[in-house]
């Protein structure tokens, strides 16, 4: 690899041992932070948020569900705030890359945890985008179009709806900070009283949840990001279209 220093095995071992100590300290700090996240107090959710869920048939009206319904009978819920506004025709490509890196939800279910995606786009647009990327059986996706949910959890900034504009728990300058939808994760739990409580939200350094990056970070070339960052990765539907074109070309050539 051009530009990468070549050393003796002994020199490499010395460098690796120095890095190993940094990795140990980083892992220790990460576990301490994870414990603090688990130890955060919780806040009762008093607003009766409702969401639109995709109906079984496109001819049927959307189903209306509550925040508690999103738990799917489990005691913990992780929500991903996916940037997809009512005016957009498709979801954010960076958020799509995040969604493409979600774990198999059966692993979360084994630990009494559900994951749901929420956007402000109408459920018809969400369903079309979800179907095009073959995510309909991968994770549930709901619309908060008729709810204050996004605004209350700092996933949409709009001072005409909620003042002041807050992001990552700080008031932002609306003249310089981008308004509109923002990505993030929020976590909820069911209390012993059966009510929903908010325990955690995060809006920064969301790349730490992207497993593709975790693997690329191990390699000499790293993430190889362009100016678009995670939005530079292809959507699943683009892969499927390319694969379709390859198959059609192969059939046409008699391969």
């Amino acid at each position: 690899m051009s530009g990468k220093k070549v050393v003796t095995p002994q020199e490499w071992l010395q460098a690796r041992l120095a890095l190993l100590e940094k990795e140990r300290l980083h892992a220790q700090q990460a576990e301490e932070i994870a414990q603090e996240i688990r130890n955060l107090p919780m806040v009762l959710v008093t607003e009766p948020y409702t969401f639109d869920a995709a109906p079984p048939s496109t001819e049927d009206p959307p189903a209306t569900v509550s925040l508690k319904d999103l738990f799917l009978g489990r005691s913990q819920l992780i929500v991903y705030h996916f940037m997809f506004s009512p005016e957009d025709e498709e979801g954010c490509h960076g958020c799509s890359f995040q969604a493409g890196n979600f774990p198999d939800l059966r692993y979360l279910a084994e630990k009494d945890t559900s994951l749901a995606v929420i956007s402000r786009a109408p459920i018809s647009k969400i369903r079309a985008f979800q179907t095009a990327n073959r995510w309909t059986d991968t994770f549930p996706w709901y619309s908060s179009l008729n709810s204050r949910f996004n605004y209350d959890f700092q996933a949409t900034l709009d001072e005409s709806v909620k003042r002041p504009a807050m992001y990552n728990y700080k008031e932002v300058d609306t003249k310089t900070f981008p308004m509109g939808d923002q990505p993030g994760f929020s976590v909820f739990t069911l209390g012993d009283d059966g009510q929903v409580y908010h325990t955690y939200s995060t809006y920064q350094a969301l790349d730490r949840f992207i497993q593709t990056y975790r693997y690329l970070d191990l390699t000499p070339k790293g993430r190889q990001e362009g100016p678009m960052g995670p939005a530079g990765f292809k959507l699943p539907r683009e892969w499927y279209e390319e694969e379709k074109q390859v198959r059609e070309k192969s059939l046409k050539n008699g391969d």
Side-chain angles (χ1 to χ4, degrees), residues 7-8 18 20 43 46 104 136 143 150 153 173 223 233 237:
V7 298
T8 66
L20 192 64
V43 178
T46 57
D104 187 317
T136 52
S143 171
N150 271 52
F153 288 93
D173 184 349
R223 301 181 183 187
F233 285 84
R237 72 147 192 264

Side-chain angles (χ1 to χ4, degrees), residues 56 74 80 83 103 108 116 135 146 162 166 172 202 231 237 248:
R74 302 182 182 102
Y80 179 57
M83 296 170 62
L108 296 180
W135 285 333
N146 301 309
K162 190 178 181 69
M166 301 284 293
V172 300
T202 184
R237 72 147 192 264
E248 290 176 347

Side-chain angles (χ1 to χ4, degrees), residues 44-201:
L44 176 65
V45 177
T46 57
E47 183 73 20
Y49 300 110
T50 58
F51 308 89
D52 288 339
S57 169
T58 55
E59 299 177 355
D60 298 325
T64 300
V65 296
S66 67
L67 181 58
K68 188 173 182 178
D69 290 332
L70 273 52
F71 282 74
L72 301 179
R74 302 182 182 102
S75 70
Q76 300 187 128
L77 172 67
I78 300 170
V79 167
Y80 179 57
H81 303 289
F82 194 117
M83 296 170 62
F84 194 169
S85 75
E87 298 77 28
D88 294 335
E89 292 305 316
E90 62 179 23
C92 162
H93 285 210
C95 292
S96 296
F97 184 54
Q98 181 77 255
N101 279 268
F102 287 162
D104 187 317
L105 299 195
R106 290 173 293 188
Y107 291 130
L108 296 180
E110 280 191 25
K111 300 304 179 181
D112 197 27
T113 302
S114 292
L115 182 146
V117 175
I118 295 178
S119 301
R120 286 192 307 128
I123 196 63
S124 57
K125 286 186 176 182
I126 289 174
R127 192 63 170 178
F129 186 68
Q130 189 177 20
T131 300
N133 288 288
R134 302 185 186 180
W135 285 333
T136 52
D137 296 324
T138 305
F139 54 83
W141 198 341
Y142 305 92
S143 171
S144 61
L145 179 61
N146 301 309
S147 166
R148 287 179 54 89
F149 182 80
N150 271 52
Y151 304 97
D152 289 346
F153 288 93
Q154 302 179 26
T156 300
L157 307 186
D158 185 343
E159 285 202 312
S160 69
V161 179
K162 190 178 181 69
R163 298 174 65 93
M166 301 284 293
Y167 183 69
N168 206 27
Y169 309 104
K170 294 181 180 179
E171 186 173 350
V172 300
D173 184 349
T174 58
K175 295 180 181 179
T176 58
F177 195 88
M179 296 291 99
D181 291 349
Q182 310 292 338
F185 285 93
S186 290
V187 182
F188 304 88
T189 189
L190 290 181
D192 294 337
D193 55 4
Q195 297 193 76
V196 177
Y197 292 83
H198 176 225
T199 66
Y200 180 71
S201 286

